[in-house]
Structures are given as structure tokens and as C-alpha cells.
Amino acid sequence: MEAGDLAWWLGILLGAVPLLAFAVWHCNDAFYCAAFALRRRGLDRRLPPGHMGLPFFGETGAMLWRFKVTRRPDGFIEARKKAYGEGVGMYRSHLFGHPTIVVCLPSVNRFVLQAHDSFWVRWPAKDLLGLSSMFNAEGSAHTRIRGYVVASFSQPRSLRNIARVAQPRVAAALRSWAEKGTITAATEFRKLMFECTCEIFISMKPSPLAAKMDKWFAGILDSLRALPVDLPGTALNHGRKCRRKLNAVFQVELEKRRKQEKRGHVGEEDYADDLMSGLMNMVDDQGKKLTDEEVLDNIVSLVAGGYESTASAILWATYHLAQSPDVLAKLREENFTLSRGNNSNFISRDDITKMKYTAKVVEEAIRLANIAPMVHRVAYRDIEYGGYTIPQGWQVVVWLRSMHIDEKYYQDPLTFNPDRWDNPPKAVTNQVFGAGSRTCAGNRLARLQITIMLHHMSIGYEWEMLNPDARLTYIPQPTPVDGAPMAFRKLSTTHEAAHAYDVVAWRLGRPRRHMNFDDVWMREQAEMLAPPSSAVTSEQQRRNRELEQRLRIAEQDERIHLEWARAFSEDVTAMEAFYAQKKEL
């Protein structure tokens, strides 16, 4: 081939490749826009601005790139706002294998979430959570199941049972973490919340099987927002395998409970108060119970949704508290005050209503954790809103996460400031648990578990993030890539306050027994009087205990000396005369 011919073919190739890429990039968008226009000929309808991305894959890869690689998930929405205008509030796209409208303004989000007669639920892979689960059910079936779940987490008896079950497990976990000294917080919080959720929902104690189930649930959660490709090795394929394994475990448990019901007793275990038994015995207006498939779908989906997000919120609460000593001091003060009036450190339902500042800390932690970045719906019919049409059958992704860290809605939004909750947020800008009839049914349970966790941590322990600047991963929940290593130890409140007493007594030249600081009962207040002890190592703690013992002996000697002086005044006079005479010599 001559040089001229080679150059000619090379020019065609270099020119054709960009043209082909341009055609492939725009053909998907052109196809959907043309189909939309043809089906609505003669009607003044238009799609929201945006782009449909590549054929089949759409913009799913671009969104996952923002979540997993650049680690700036809100960049996906920011790019569309910059390209098509921020005030639009909705953009067309193609995500998870479906033509999609992404909505991201508070008012538009509320419209979609509350118009339950116009938008139905659509998760990317509905079978992962169960076709008959509360998350996918519609109409009366959804209302019936959701009503029962909400009541289960709201009734006084249920709240007392949850607190009774969760607190011993939380207390035991905290003690074990303190013995370790250093923990991987994301792993430990997740494990603890999974154990609490399993015991509350299905009366399951920690076991090797429960540890396997934890991994299977993680597989389901990881695959919920994966590419819709079910091939060996893909996340979706793995998630479906995990779901089948969980179905087998819960089917065995279900059959065991059915047999025990027929025998007229529940065996050694007490299932009366758990969620699974409630679902098995729930009846509708016609007296019909849920089928086994409905029970399995709902218990799997409720466990999956009940612990991962709560563990994430607790992780970020502890992270921000470690960086905000003033907030932590207020939290400790409220919880110490509450504990002093109780016979134990366990809190009751009545106590929780008194924990006003703790409630604000919980709300702020949930806001910054952004535990539900998006929810999925599908348009039941053509919907007109804001001058645009949301086509029938198209998926609608309600983007929640960006509004909770938007300075238009929250002042200094990235600052951990529980006091911002002294005033309610702007209308419709707090959607961490969704909105409308599908607001998260377990939101009260999540708040209760976070409250219990913060109470026990604040009154008995202190912690430090060992790598607070670690990079984050955002699927399924925002988590430091290193799992958030944390130094964790018991809070030496009594020891450090006693050390402060010693220092102040020495400074004032007075015996320690003459000091009386009844209002000093926590470390932060002791630090106002004197620097706290740095007793971290066992050797330092031993030396401080030895010092305290010497002080007690000295105080005892002083007391005995005073009693001897009062009882034998003549001996005192003789001793003083002896030393006076000796001094003259």
C-alpha cells in the first residue's frame, strides 16, 4: 500500500471513529425523544432536559463512577444542574436499565413521594427485596403491612421490649470494645446493629449462622444499585444467590414456628414479641393471614433495611462527636444527669422523652449521614409538572442526599451543629426518611437505637478516630475506606475527678477531706478545675492508685492524731515543750 493510500485510510478512520462515537452517544437519547414525540403527536408535551447516555447502559456507569471512583456522588447532580439549569429540578437520564427522570428539588421530591396514586415503587431489582414485600407492594397490601410495622415500632409495649432487648447487647459490646482498645468502627457498629435487629425482628441470637446471614444481607444491599446484568461474577448475580440462601434459612424458621403453633406452644424460645411472629399472625379485614411467601419477603426486606442505615448513622454520630468536644460535653452532661436518677445505666421509654439534646444530636447525625441517598418510583401515567412531562412507565429517581447538605436549606451545612434543630428546618427540606405514605416505617426504631447507643457511649466511654481524614466509599452507605479505626476505652470519670480534687486541694494548701465539690461529677467539669490525669497505660494507672492510697493513709493518720490530741492534752503539752527545748539547744 502506497503512503498516499495509507494516509487516506488513516484519515477516514480518524474521522469515522469520532463520528461513530458521536452517533452512539446520541442515538439512545434521539431514540427516546423521538418515541416520546411520536406517541404524543399533536400534544404540547416536552421531556425534561438531560441526556440518555449510551444504549442499554445509559448513564449508570457515569453515576457509579461518581459514587465509587471520584467519591463525589453529588457531582452527578451538580453536572446536570450546571448543564441544564439549577431551577429545573428534574432531568432525563437512563439508569439501572430504564429510562429515568431524576428529580432533586425539595418541592419536586415531595410531589413525587406524596402522589402515591401517580407513582408506584420501582427498585432496580425488585426480586432482591421480594415482590410481595412492603417495599414493593401497592395499595391496600402496602397499607396493611406498613400499618402493622409502624405500630410494632410505636406502641409503648413494643418500645419497652426493644429497649429491653437492645441495651444489654449494646452494653456488652461496648465493654468488649474497651478491652480491645482499638476497633474497626464500621465493622463493629454494623455487626452490633445486625445482632440487635435480628433479636428484635426474629429472636435470633448471635451464632455462626447469623454471621453468614450478615454477609448475605450485605450481598443484597451491594447489588441493589448495581448494573442490571445478571451474569456470573456480577453484583446482581451475587445478590440473587444471597437472597436464595436467606430464603432457605427463613423458610426453615417459618416451618419450625408453624409446627410449634400447631402443638399449642412456642417451645423454649419466646417469639411473642418479635416482628416475624407478628407478620405470621397478622390478618386483614377478611380474616386472611399473610402467605409464607409474603412473610419471607417482608422479614428479609425489613431486616435488610433495618440495620445498615442505622449503623451508618451511629458511625457518623461518633465521628462528629469525636471532632466536636463541646457537643460531646453537652451530650455527656444530659445523659449523666439522667443516669444519676436511675438505679442502673439502662434507659426507659420515659427517659427518652427527657433527652432533648440527645434527640438533636441524633437528628443532626442522621442529616449528615444521608442514609438514604435516593429512592425509586415509576410513573403510573403521564404526569405534568413544572412545564415538563414525566412519561408513563418511566423510572423516577428521587435524589435526596444533596438537599441535606445544601447551604440554601441549611446554614453552614457541613458543620455538625445539633442546635440547628432548635428551630424546624425549612419546609420539605428534611427528607432523610422519605415522605408521604412510604416514609420509612422504621424511622422511630432507628432513632431509638441511635439514642440507646449514644447514651451508653457518652456515660461510660471515650473514643478517638485514628484516621479522621480517610477517603470515603458511598455504596451502599457512606463509609471510610479503612473502616474507621477507632481508639476506644472506658471513661475514667471518677478517677480523673478525684485527681482534680487532689490538685486543687494541694494548690489551696488544704486537706483533701476539707474539699467538697458536689457539683463536679464528670470529666469535663473536673478539667475546669485542674488538668486531667493522662492515665492511659496500666503503669500510670497503678501509680495513680498508689498515690490515692497514700492520700487515704495520710488522711487517716491526720484524723487519728487529732483524736489523740483531744483525748490526751497533757501529752500534747509535754511533747510541745520537749520540741521547744530541743530547738533551743
Side-chain angles (χ1 to χ4, degrees), residues 103-368:
V103 300
C104 57
L105 279 182
S107 57
V108 188
N109 290 3
R110 181 179 64 172
F111 169 74
V112 173
L113 294 174
Q114 292 186 344
H116 54 85
D117 58 337
S118 300
F119 298 96
W120 289 357
V121 174
R122 170 181 281 175
W123 287 89
K126 297 177 68 172
D127 57 312
L128 289 174
L129 294 178
L131 299 179
S132 59
S133 74
M134 180 183 70
F135 293 92
N136 289 315
E138 299 289 349
S140 59
H142 168 263
T143 302
R144 178 166 57 107
I145 298 172
R146 185 181 186 279
Y148 173 78
V149 173
V150 170
S152 297
F153 299 148
S154 304
Q155 295 175 354
R157 179 170 177 265
S158 300
L159 293 174
R160 283 194 298 271
N161 181 59
I162 292 169
R164 175 184 61 81
V165 168
Q167 291 190 84
R169 192 162 300 284
V170 168
L174 296 180
R175 287 193 299 270
S176 70
W177 299 348
E179 292 173 359
K180 294 177 182 177
T182 302
I183 63 170
T184 303
T187 301
E188 296 295 343
F189 289 161
R190 175 194 170 100
K191 177 183 176 183
L192 175 58
M193 287 301 103
F194 182 73
E195 291 175 355
C196 290
T197 300
C198 283
E199 188 158 0
I200 293 169
F201 285 16
I202 54 178
S203 299
M204 177 177 284
K205 307 291 184 182
S207 66
L209 176 59
K212 291 181 181 179
M213 291 171 62
D214 186 9
K215 294 180 180 179
W216 297 337
F217 275 109
I220 290 178
L221 293 169
D222 288 341
S223 62
L224 280 176
R225 296 186 177 92
L227 287 169
V229 179
D230 189 0
L231 295 174
T234 62
L236 181 58
N237 183 267
H238 176 65
R240 284 175 170 157
K241 288 181 179 178
C242 291
R243 176 59 205 261
R244 288 193 289 270
K245 292 176 181 178
L246 288 169
N247 275 359
V249 171
F250 283 117
Q251 183 66 47
V252 171
E253 178 68 16
L254 186 65
E255 291 174 358
K256 181 178 75 172
R257 295 192 183 199
R258 296 286 193 208
K259 291 178 181 177
Q260 290 175 346
E261 283 183 355
K262 290 181 180 179
R263 290 199 299 264
H265 61 85
V266 294
E268 296 179 358
E269 301 90 345
D270 182 10
Y271 302 133
D273 291 323
D274 72 15
L275 187 62
M276 187 172 187
S277 289
L279 291 171
M280 291 171 59
N281 296 314
M282 186 177 68
V283 295
D284 60 14
D285 295 337
Q286 286 76 40
K288 294 182 180 179
K289 292 186 176 182
L290 295 179
T291 65
D292 286 359
E293 181 182 0
E294 289 175 319
V295 173
L296 292 177
D297 280 351
N298 279 284
I299 201 64
V300 170
S301 60
L302 287 167
V303 172
Y307 79 99
E308 180 83 31
S309 56
T310 305
S312 178
I314 292 171
L315 171 64
W316 289 109
T318 56
Y319 172 88
H320 289 295
L321 287 169
Q323 311 302 315
S324 309
D326 293 343
V327 176
L328 180 56
K330 293 180 182 178
L331 181 70
R332 289 196 198 280
E333 182 176 359
E334 179 176 81
N335 284 271
F336 267 120
T337 302
L338 192 69
S339 294
R340 285 196 299 174
N342 291 341
N343 294 327
S344 71
N345 289 332
F346 285 10
I347 53 176
S348 66
R349 173 176 168 269
D350 294 334
D351 292 330
I352 292 173
T353 61
K354 304 172 186 176
M355 301 165 69
K356 305 299 183 184
Y357 190 77
T358 305
K360 294 193 294 184
V361 172
V362 170
E363 292 302 321
E364 184 71 347
I366 292 173
R367 179 186 73 86
L368 285 172

